Amino acid sequence: QVPLVESGGGLVQAGGSLRLSCAAPGRTLRNYAMGWFRQAPGKEREFVAASSWSSGNTYYADSVKGRFTISRDNAGNTVYLQMSSLKPEDTAVYYCAARVGPSYLSALADEYDYWGRGTQVTVSS
């Protein structure tokens, strides 16, 4: 098991920024491909971004491309989602996910092995 813990959510005005963090206390995330997903009320969970720890490659949903950035710390303990130019439609619970195998990027939730409990992001208009 990989106990992922998200933090950094909150309430922000449209146009503002937030940075989400995801860590697995006491464990390295270097052996995993990492992803961020979100789920708005009444909607299905959707892919946001993914990062390969080994290659440094990243992958974004079209809806966030150019506004969100996925990154990681050099120690391999934390992955971030920097969100800028936020819109009301970005309001959702954001989940961090880990997939065994550090180089394969996936936008499919079913291909991830471990999930955090989520952090709420609310963007007011």
Side-chain angles (χ1 to χ4, degrees):
Q1 289 293 325
V2 179
L4 299 173
V5 180
E6 303 97 336
S7 61
L11 173 65
V12 64
Q13 288 188 333
S17 299
L18 280 176
R19 188 177 78 160
L20 306 183
S21 300
C22 173
R27 300 193 61 161
T28 180
L29 296 175
R30 287 187 177 276
N31 297 324
Y32 303 91
M34 302 300 298
W36 286 96
F37 291 76
R38 66 187 182 187
Q39 188 167 17
K43 295 187 177 181
E44 293 187 354
R45 190 169 297 190
E46 66 172 354
F47 169 74
V48 175
S51 174
S52 162
W53 216 283
S54 59
S55 68
N57 291 336
T58 57
Y59 178 39
Y60 296 94
D62 287 343
S63 60
V64 306
K65 200 172 295 182
R67 299 189 298 121
F68 291 11
T69 302
I70 186 171
S71 64
R72 65 213 187 277
D73 68 340
N74 290 333
N77 298 328
T78 305
V79 63
Y80 303 100
L81 185 68
Q82 178 67 47
M83 305 185 295
S84 303
S85 302
L86 283 162
K87 305 175 182 179
E89 51 263 45
D90 294 319
T91 295
V93 177
Y94 283 71
Y95 298 90
C96 172
R99 186 186 186 281
V100 176
S103 61
Y104 178 77
L105 301 183
S106 175
L108 301 177
D110 289 347
E111 293 189 345
Y112 286 80
D113 302 293
Y114 304 104
W115 291 83
R117 293 188 174 186
T119 184
Q120 176 71 45
V121 172
T122 303
V123 184
S124 63
S125 57

